Amino acid sequence: MRELMITPYAPSFIESMRAVGYSLESALADIVDNSISAQATLVRIEFRPFDEPYVAILDNGKGMNSDELTQAMRHGGKGPIEMRSPQDLGRFGLGLKTASLSQCRKLWVVSLKEKKKLSALCWDLDLVSKKKDWVLWVSDNEEEIKSLPHVEDIVRQGHGTVVIWQELDRLAAGELSLSSALGTKMDRAREHLAQVFHRYLAGETGLLKLSIEINNKPLEPIDPFLASHKSTQKLYEDIFSVEDQEIRVQPYILPHITKLSPEELRLAGGEEGFRRNQGFYVYRNRRLIIRGTWFRLARSEELTKLARVIVDIPNALDHLWTLDIKKSAAYPPEIVRRNLGRTVDRIAERSRRTYTYRGRITRRDGIIHTWNRIEERQGISYCINRKHPAVIALAESMDDDQRKLFTSVLETIETTFPADALYADIASDRARVVEEPDKEALKELAYQILDAVRPDDRSSILNSLNLIEPFSSYPEISAKIMEEIRNAQ
């Protein structure tokens, strides 16, 4: 037999690769990956929709010399089976070219290393089409290179790289104008990058802290786990090894929706996204690649939607996770799924409990509740707490006939508890409207309870008023009421 070498036809191949499916935000994320691998601490994204429109991504990384830039501009310059450093966010050696050319027809990359000579190469799809080969523009004219957008910025730094997208045909496709399209898509990209790189933006231990700006406006990290919220539950971490590589699994239970401010709710995915965003969040070298999936290890339920789990994987296991070119999809191998299954079992009940108790882990929390939750063999029921001081006070103020009627009223309320409507409202994620209580009304209720109980019990009831519903829900108001009553005695 003899060998036959077939080289891909450049114009068709590159045009086909443009259709891989990059969005603007995923394309930008791929470029930021390269900046992180180059040890950048600042990435600036600049876009101009007028005159000669462009998008530029520039960093203060270590930069590339001429040979390194040539290798970077080669399709498949470093393949997926080659060893990479633990900090390298690359995978196929295609990201820079494929991501960029999915958005534009002309890609310039200009780089400067150690304050030496500028290196500049350009993929121009019209030139490739004309020459019918893998041909790039090379510029050795420094003044010409410096005339490109933001090249002077990396010259002033003494190092760094600027990626320039020109002839933005894909960004304007199907839109009324490039200006409106670019503005809208960049808003979406802002949130995407703020979440994908939130651990770098936050300066997590072990990472070089990164700043990302879009038209000089810095991005704030969007943490999908709300780890800094006082009501977020951080469960114990699970660590296991695959092929001598460490995988770390960190579960979180988010606060109930009623405990979140509008801004916190937005960061968690909004009312619509709460259920959709539950599940595993896979990070490759602490860069988010997959969000909100159970990998078919569990169903997405209303009562588990507070559960979110960090899965940290190293790039050394890429071959097991079938990572795609865009680094936006991957699927775990069987050995990993088995270990993740343990996590699902562990956190599911915790999420259900948090959801049911609106943030309380158990009913043994020292609060005298108005309603008791009763677990029975046949299911769960709710009944009014007969030992609540207000219930006791009212019952003791009645004669026997009135007390019988009162008991019947309580039982009627319990048997007509609107469980179906309540579940439907909770499932809709619509926050319950709770009006600020009237202080005088609460104070009057406190006096009524104290007047109705035995004199010997008044002091203990007053001292524990802040542990009795509804007073426990308004600690500041309750503290003032307790002080005023004591002063009045």
Side-chain angles (χ1 to χ4, degrees), residues 123-154:
W123 275 111
D124 183 340
L125 298 191
D126 292 336
L127 177 65
V128 172
S129 179
K130 179 181 178 181
K131 296 292 185 179
K132 296 179 174 52
D133 210 340
W134 302 90
V135 182
L136 293 87
W137 289 115
V138 182
S139 178
D140 295 317
N141 186 324
E142 191 159 301
E143 291 306 313
E144 180 184 50
I145 297 173
K146 287 182 178 180
S147 69
L148 292 167
H150 303 284
V151 170
E152 288 283 7
D153 293 340
I154 65 170

Side-chain angles (χ1 to χ4, degrees), residues 312-427:
D312 270 318
I313 63 172
N315 60 9
L317 295 179
D318 284 350
H319 62 290
L320 297 180
W321 280 78
T322 59
L323 186 69
D324 74 348
I325 289 176
K326 297 175 293 183
K327 297 193 284 288
S328 61
Y331 192 73
E334 177 60 28
I335 187 172
V336 174
R337 290 201 302 276
R338 285 202 301 269
N339 283 278
L340 294 181
R342 297 202 314 260
T343 301
V344 170
D345 296 338
R346 179 159 58 95
I347 66 175
E349 181 57 29
R350 181 69 69 93
S351 177
R352 292 188 185 100
R353 240 187 297 163
T354 301
Y355 198 83
T356 303
Y357 289 120
R358 296 163 56 100
R360 298 188 184 94
I361 298 175
T362 71
R363 281 296 191 179
R364 293 187 291 273
D365 54 8
I367 302 295
I368 300 176
H369 296 283
T370 307
W371 286 87
N372 284 332
R373 179 180 183 271
I374 310 299
E375 291 189 20
E376 302 171 310
R377 285 180 180 270
Q378 59 269 38
I380 298 169
S381 63
Y382 294 86
C383 68
I384 294 172
N385 183 7
R386 302 299 198 274
K387 294 183 179 181
H388 191 285
V391 175
I392 294 172
L394 181 56
E396 291 185 352
S397 68
M398 299 174 174
D399 58 33
D400 289 343
D401 290 337
Q402 291 172 328
R403 198 172 295 119
K404 288 180 181 178
L405 177 59
F406 177 52
T407 301
S408 297
V409 170
L410 294 183
E411 291 173 351
T412 300
I413 293 172
E414 291 167 345
T415 56
T416 58
F417 182 81
D420 292 343
L422 177 62
Y423 182 85
D425 289 338
I426 290 174

Side-chain angles (χ1 to χ4, degrees), residues 92-117:
F92 294 98
L94 292 171
L96 169 63
K97 290 76 63 178
T98 307
S100 297
L101 295 174
S102 72
Q103 308 298 310
C104 67
R105 294 194 62 80
K106 183 178 286 187
L107 163 66
W108 276 100
V109 180
V110 183
S111 197
L112 179 63
K113 186 173 184 178
E114 298 173 347
K115 299 183 179 180
K116 295 180 180 178
K117 184 181 178 182

Side-chain angles (χ1 to χ4, degrees), residues 151-329:
V151 170
E152 288 283 7
D153 293 340
I154 65 170
V155 172
R156 282 191 291 271
Q157 291 172 178
H159 55 90
T161 300
V162 57
V163 176
I164 306 162
W165 299 345
Q166 296 175 326
E167 299 181 19
L168 308 171
D169 62 329
R170 291 297 180 92
L171 284 173
E175 302 289 345
L176 292 176
S177 70
L178 176 61
S179 177
S180 61
L182 201 49
T184 300
K185 291 180 179 181
M186 278 296 180
D187 286 340
R188 197 157 55 237
R190 177 179 293 277
E191 291 205 3
H192 179 81
L193 297 175
Q195 186 172 103
V196 167
F197 298 104
H198 73 93
R199 297 168 74 176
Y200 288 85
L201 294 170
E204 187 173 293
T205 302
L207 294 177
L208 193 63
K209 190 176 188 304
L210 177 69
S211 296
I212 302 177
E213 299 177 358
I214 298 183
N215 277 5
N216 297 317
K217 186 176 181 181
L219 270 61
E220 295 295 329
I222 296 179
D223 176 12
F225 308 95
L226 301 180
S228 61
H229 195 286
K230 64 180 180 181
S231 296
T232 295
Q233 301 171 53
K234 183 178 181 181
L235 309 186
Y236 70 82
E237 186 180 43
D238 186 19
I239 303 173
F240 58 93
S241 294
V242 176
E243 296 186 0
D244 296 325
Q245 297 293 324
E246 189 175 81
I247 295 179
R248 308 178 76 93
V249 182
Q250 176 63 70
Y252 289 86
I253 305 299
L254 270 59
H256 191 277
I257 188 173
T258 56
K259 293 182 177 290
L260 301 178
S261 68
E263 176 61 15
E264 289 167 339
L265 181 59
R266 185 188 70 79
L267 295 179
E271 293 184 7
E272 292 294 322
F274 233 71
R275 175 172 178 167
R276 186 172 61 250
N277 292 329
Q278 64 181 284
F280 294 112
Y281 285 64
V282 180
Y283 291 79
R284 175 180 178 265
N285 291 0
R286 290 189 270 189
R287 185 264 208 211
L288 182 61
I289 58 173
I290 307 172
R291 72 190 86 186
T293 176
W294 288 117
F295 294 123
R296 296 198 294 274
L297 297 172
R299 291 189 304 168
S300 293
E301 302 176 1
E302 292 298 326
L303 297 182
T304 58
K305 66 183 180 181
L306 301 181
R308 299 185 182 183
V309 186
I310 291 177
V311 181
D312 270 318
I313 63 172
N315 60 9
L317 295 179
D318 284 350
H319 62 290
L320 297 180
W321 280 78
T322 59
L323 186 69
D324 74 348
I325 289 176
K326 297 175 293 183
K327 297 193 284 288
S328 61

Side-chain angles (χ1 to χ4, degrees), residues 4 69 77 128 147 414 434 456 478 482:
L4 175 64
L69 177 57
V128 172
S147 69
E414 291 167 345
V434 181
D456 292 345
S478 297
M482 294 164 67

